[in-house]
Amino acid sequence: LDPALSQVVGVSFAVSEGTAVYVPLAHKSGTNADTGAVFAFLEKLMTDPGITKIAHNLSFEAMFLYHQGIIVQPPCYDTIAAAQLTLKSNTEFRSLSDSGLKTLVPLLYDVEMPKFEEVTGGRHFDELPAQDVETIRYACADSDYTLRLYHTFNDWFDRYLPGHRFITEQ
């Protein structure tokens, strides 16, 4: 995806496990939120030094926000980076290919996440109805499990390699 050419279809947030919400922005059917209001909210959120911004592959998310004129400010936490700083086995760290959300969630939580291909059925995400249960479930799963990974990896860092937690947070 090219952040300069792609359109953000929606955003999801979670503040604790199981609380994720999806805010649709550009679905072709259903009700979408006011894009200007959502991006104004995102700017306040993503630049607030009192809020830790947690994402899986934060650099990718930050590119989309940058294209909207929003520069993500610390504190930040990237769970894909955290994954690569934790042990996959007793002797091996995870690689980027071992650190995807769809790989980590089944491995660490024994849960299969909704698959994009199954949810979309060959359509683009913006063609899905904004308020459809499967659309929302797919979008919210990413935020919910990213937050769970944040806690899981921080527990691991605190127990085994506290310095790695600092690297991920900075």
Side-chain angles (χ1 to χ4, degrees), residues 66-156:
Y66 183 77
H67 182 67
Q68 298 295 323
I70 301 169
I71 300 172
V72 179
Q73 298 296 309
C76 299
Y77 191 101
D78 188 342
T79 55
I80 203 168
Q84 293 174 75
L85 295 169
T86 61
L87 290 174
K88 172 179 161 177
S89 67
N90 287 340
T91 60
E92 183 180 16
F93 284 94
R94 286 186 177 86
S95 67
L96 182 59
S97 65
D98 299 320
S99 300
L101 202 54
K102 304 290 192 263
T103 301
L104 290 170
V105 169
L107 181 71
L108 298 174
Y109 306 112
D110 198 28
V111 171
E112 287 297 321
M113 293 188 66
K115 294 185 176 30
F116 184 80
E117 301 80 19
E118 293 171 5
V119 172
T120 60
R123 296 174 289 173
H124 295 281
F125 200 73
D126 67 342
E127 296 176 284
L128 301 178
Q131 283 71 41
D132 183 76
V133 171
E134 287 302 302
T135 303
I136 295 167
R137 186 174 81 89
Y138 177 83
C140 288
D142 284 3
S143 292
D144 185 48
Y145 281 103
T146 295
L147 185 59
R148 291 175 195 221
L149 286 172
Y150 168 78
H151 294 295
T152 297
F153 290 137
N154 281 344
D155 290 346
W156 189 90

Side-chain angles (χ1 to χ4, degrees), residues 7-107:
Q7 179 180 26
V8 177
V9 175
V11 294
S12 63
F13 306 92
V15 295
S16 62
E17 286 187 22
T19 66
V21 295
Y22 178 59
V23 181
L25 297 174
H27 285 266
K28 293 178 180 173
S29 66
T31 304
N32 292 300
D34 178 280
T35 304
V38 171
F39 279 108
F41 167 77
L42 284 173
E43 182 170 21
K44 287 180 95 173
L45 176 73
M46 298 308 240
T47 59
D48 187 330
I51 298 172
T52 301
K53 284 62 83 179
I54 304 164
H56 195 77
N57 197 358
L58 182 61
S59 62
F60 182 76
E61 305 295 342
M63 287 188 296
F64 278 95
L65 292 168
Y66 183 77
H67 182 67
Q68 298 295 323
I70 301 169
I71 300 172
V72 179
Q73 298 296 309
C76 299
Y77 191 101
D78 188 342
T79 55
I80 203 168
Q84 293 174 75
L85 295 169
T86 61
L87 290 174
K88 172 179 161 177
S89 67
N90 287 340
T91 60
E92 183 180 16
F93 284 94
R94 286 186 177 86
S95 67
L96 182 59
S97 65
D98 299 320
S99 300
L101 202 54
K102 304 290 192 263
T103 301
L104 290 170
V105 169
L107 181 71

